[in-house]
């Protein structure tokens, strides 16, 4: 294989005995130096690994070879033509290394059987052991050896080409692996940073969870304490539930009362509109006489400011007329029916007299008026039934001396003002 001429057949290069005659016959297996020379190259190159060959040569020479693999191969092939320490060491290693394959080929009796068995083992990937067992078999003829060596020669060429291709692919894969390793390192770095960030977020969430759990436990403890306190208060006030129900009923009744009062005011407005449409009239002399008598009986308020809280909406004009005829200033608040209760206290502060009509105001307005007048010492009168006559009686009771003093004067002035009307003809 190393120094063969491709133009000549392989058989003439087979080993010869000292007399120059080919020695391929015999009943015993041939030794390495007994096989044809053309078989030494494929046997050394295929049947024994290069590191093992170098170790065998170093041991046989009791030194260390300095040549490269090719020089080592050529030197070993050259030494195998004869029996010596190198060839004997290689022979012993091949016999031990391929003993199992030698045992399989031992039962074969013909060159055809040897060639068929070698092809089968070569197809299975056992070419090295099958080659050594075939070339050393005593029944293997020169033609079979030549066919086996030719095939091994071509397989080695193909293996070399494949090895070069594989080497280029391996180099490309190594370069790609280097790039991918760098990318993998970057990805691992980013992943490590991502994991650290998420771990920090997780630790923060765990801390927040612990804090919230502590707050929840504190609130639950507070709820339990408040429940115990409420139970204790319930034991101290057995009728607390009844009071609460009564308070709710009072609030409901007040709401219903406000609704009814609103309906009454609306009906009074509608009645007033209807009366104006039908043009209802009364005797002028009787009405004026009654008004004159009412004015004559009123005290002189001397510009005192009177504020009425509550009352029917249809009587507000009558209240205003009555107070103004008595010489006072009139102010009104409906007690929270339509007006805002926040406007109540400024009116109370500016009034000299407060008249609260309790039947027409809300519970809240009642207590506000009472509390304000009590705190400020404001004069206040509570009237249960709203009406013009009730208001007049209240004024007479509050200012009796003014009424007695000015009674005759007002009455005479009223009669003098209406005298022409009373004596007018027809």
């Amino acid at each position: 294989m190393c120094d063969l001429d491709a133009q000549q057949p392989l058989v003439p290069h087979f080993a010869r005995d000292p007399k120059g005659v080919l020695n391929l016959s015999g009943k015993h297996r041939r030794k390495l130096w007994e096989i044809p020379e053309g078989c030494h190259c494929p046997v050394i190159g295929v049947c024994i690994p290069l590191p093992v060959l170098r170790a065998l040569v170093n041991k046989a020479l009791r030194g260390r070879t300095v040549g490269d693999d090719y020089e080592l191969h050529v030197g070993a092939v050259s030494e195998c033509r004869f029996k010596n320490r190198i060839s004997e060491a290689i022979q012993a290693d091949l016999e031990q290394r391929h003993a199992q394959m030698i045992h399989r080929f031992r039962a074969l009796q013909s060159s055809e059987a040897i060639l068929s068995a070698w092809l089968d083992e070569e197809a299975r990937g056992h070419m090295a052991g099958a080659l050594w067992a075939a070339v050393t078999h005593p029944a293997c003829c020169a033609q079979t050896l030549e066919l086996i060596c030719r095939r091994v020669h071509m397989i080695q060429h193909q293996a070399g080409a494949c090895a070069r291709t594989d080497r280029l692919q391996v180099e490309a894969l190594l370069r790609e692996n280097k790039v991918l390793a760098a990318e993998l390192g970057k990805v691992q770095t980013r992943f490590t940073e991502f994991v650290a960030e998420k771990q920090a977020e997780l630790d923060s969430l765990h801390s927040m969870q612990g804090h919230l759990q502590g707050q929840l436990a504190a609130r639950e403890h507070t709820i339990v304490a408040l429940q115990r306190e409420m139970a204790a208060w319930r034991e101290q006030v057995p009728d607390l539930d009844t009071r609460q129900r009564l308070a709710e009923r009072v609030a409901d009744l007040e709401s219903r009362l406000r609704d009814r009062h609103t309906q009454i005011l609306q009906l009074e407005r509608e009645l007033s509109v209807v009366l104006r449409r039908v043009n209802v009239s009364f005797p002028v002399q009787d009405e004026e006489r009654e008004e004159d008598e009412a004015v004559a009986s009123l005290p002189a308020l001397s510009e005192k400011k009177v504020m009425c809280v509550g009352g029917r909406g249809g009587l507000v004009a009558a209240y205003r007329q009555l107070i103004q005829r008595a010489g006072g200033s009139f102010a009104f608040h409906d007690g929270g029916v339509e007006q805002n209760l926040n406007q109540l206290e400024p009116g109370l502060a500016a009034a000299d007299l407060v008249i609260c009509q309790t039947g027409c105001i809300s519970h809240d307005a009642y207590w506000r008026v009472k509390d304000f007048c009590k705190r400020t010492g404001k004069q206040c009168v509570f009237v249960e039934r709203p009406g013009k006559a009730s208001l007049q009686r209240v004024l007479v009771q509050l200012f009796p001396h003014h009424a007695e003093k000015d009674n005759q004067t007002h009455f005479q002035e009223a009669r003098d003002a209406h005298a022409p009307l009373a004596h007018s003809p027809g």
Side-chain angles (χ1 to χ4, degrees):
M1 294 286 175
C2 301
D3 54 358
L4 294 180
D5 187 357
Q7 302 296 329
Q8 298 180 359
L10 187 60
V11 174
H13 293 275
F14 287 165
R16 301 175 180 273
D17 58 8
K19 296 180 181 181
V21 180
L22 286 171
N23 183 13
L24 295 178
S25 62
K27 297 182 179 180
H28 301 285
R29 295 182 61 254
R30 290 186 284 272
K31 304 294 184 181
L32 179 62
W33 51 86
E34 294 176 350
I35 63 177
E37 294 180 6
C39 296
H40 289 153
C41 180
V43 167
I44 298 300
V46 175
C47 298
I48 186 169
L50 276 174
V52 176
L53 178 63
R54 185 177 295 274
L56 293 174
V57 172
N58 290 339
K59 184 177 180 180
L61 298 179
R62 297 177 183 178
R64 182 178 180 182
T65 58
V66 295
D68 56 13
D69 292 341
Y70 177 77
E71 293 174 350
L72 175 66
H73 174 78
V74 172
V77 169
S78 176
E79 293 295 327
C80 287
R81 292 182 299 173
F82 307 101
K83 183 179 180 181
N84 50 52
R85 287 184 298 180
I86 295 177
S87 61
E88 287 180 346
I90 295 174
Q91 168 72 27
D93 183 81
L94 290 173
E95 288 292 313
Q96 181 181 1
R97 184 179 301 275
H98 304 295
Q100 186 176 2
M101 192 63 68
I102 294 171
H103 179 72
R104 292 181 184 177
F105 275 70
R106 183 169 296 170
L108 303 178
Q109 301 296 329
S110 63
S111 295
E112 291 77 7
I114 293 173
L115 179 61
S116 177
W118 185 85
L119 291 174
D120 292 341
E121 295 297 335
E122 185 266 333
R124 295 190 185 98
H126 303 153
M127 186 175 66
L131 176 62
W132 175 247
V135 298
T136 58
H137 199 284
C140 184
C141 63
Q143 289 77 13
T144 301
L145 283 176
E146 184 174 2
L147 290 175
I148 293 174
C149 289
R150 288 177 182 272
R151 185 167 179 82
V152 171
H153 182 81
M154 295 307 300
I155 291 173
Q156 286 182 322
H157 279 300
Q158 294 175 1
C162 293
R164 285 192 295 273
T165 303
D166 293 342
R167 185 174 63 254
L168 293 176
Q169 292 178 352
V170 168
E171 291 176 355
L173 290 174
L174 288 175
R175 290 192 296 270
E176 183 178 359
N177 181 66
K178 186 176 180 180
V179 174
L180 293 176
E183 294 294 332
L184 179 61
K186 295 179 181 178
V187 171
Q188 288 178 341
T189 302
R190 291 197 299 269
F191 178 75
T192 302
E193 295 175 354
F194 177 78
V195 170
E197 180 181 355
K198 294 304 177 184
Q199 185 62 39
E201 293 180 1
L202 184 61
D203 294 340
S204 177
L205 291 176
H206 285 164
S207 177
M208 185 182 299
Q209 181 185 10
H211 180 66
L212 293 176
Q213 287 179 346
Q215 289 184 347
L216 180 60
R219 290 182 180 179
E220 290 178 352
H221 179 73
T222 304
I223 290 172
V224 172
L226 291 175
Q227 288 176 346
R228 292 176 180 174
E229 184 178 356
M230 184 173 66
W233 280 108
R234 289 182 182 276
E235 292 178 357
Q236 295 179 7
V237 185
D239 57 344
L240 180 60
D241 295 336
T242 304
R243 293 185 179 182
Q244 291 178 348
R245 288 194 297 269
L246 291 175
E248 293 174 357
R249 181 161 181 80
V250 168
D252 180 62
L253 291 175
E254 289 179 352
S255 176
R256 293 169 61 184
L257 182 60
R258 285 193 298 269
D259 295 339
R260 295 296 183 270
H261 185 60
T262 303
Q263 294 176 3
I264 292 172
L265 294 177
Q266 182 65 27
L267 291 174
E268 288 178 350
R269 294 191 189 99
E270 294 177 359
L271 178 60
S272 177
V273 172
V274 171
L275 292 176
R276 283 196 299 270
R277 287 181 180 178
V278 299
N279 194 17
V280 176
S281 61
F282 299 95
V284 178
Q285 293 182 356
D286 294 341
E287 181 179 354
E288 291 180 351
R289 187 178 299 110
E290 292 176 359
E291 290 180 357
D292 292 340
E293 293 176 356
V295 171
S297 64
L298 283 175
L301 297 180
S302 303
E303 298 183 355
K304 292 182 179 293
K305 188 170 183 179
V306 180
M307 181 175 184
C308 290
V309 181
R312 296 180 181 177
L315 299 178
V316 174
Y319 296 160
R320 184 184 303 277
Q321 184 180 13
L322 183 62
I323 298 299
Q324 289 178 352
R325 285 187 177 183
S329 177
F330 177 77
F332 176 77
H333 194 283
D334 63 3
V337 177
E338 294 183 357
Q339 293 178 297
N340 193 342
L341 286 177
N342 293 328
Q343 301 174 357
L344 181 59
E345 290 193 4
L348 295 175
D352 298 313
L353 172 63
V354 179
I355 298 177
C356 180
Q357 310 217 28
T358 59
C360 301
I361 63 173
S362 66
H363 189 71
D364 189 12
Y366 172 81
W367 285 108
R368 286 196 181 195
V369 172
K370 187 175 181 180
D371 179 68
F372 181 85
C373 294
K374 184 177 180 180
R375 284 188 292 105
T376 60
K378 187 76 65 175
Q379 188 175 13
C380 179
V381 178
F382 294 93
V383 180
E384 294 183 1
R385 296 182 180 181
K388 187 175 180 180
S390 300
L391 180 60
Q392 182 177 347
R393 285 195 298 270
V394 169
L395 294 176
V396 172
Q397 291 174 2
L398 291 176
F399 307 98
H401 58 284
H402 294 289
E404 293 175 356
K405 180 179 180 181
D406 299 330
N407 186 23
Q408 186 64 33
T409 303
H410 285 288
F411 182 74
Q412 183 64 35
E413 290 177 355
R415 289 182 62 86
D416 293 341
H418 293 83
L421 181 61
H423 294 85
S424 61

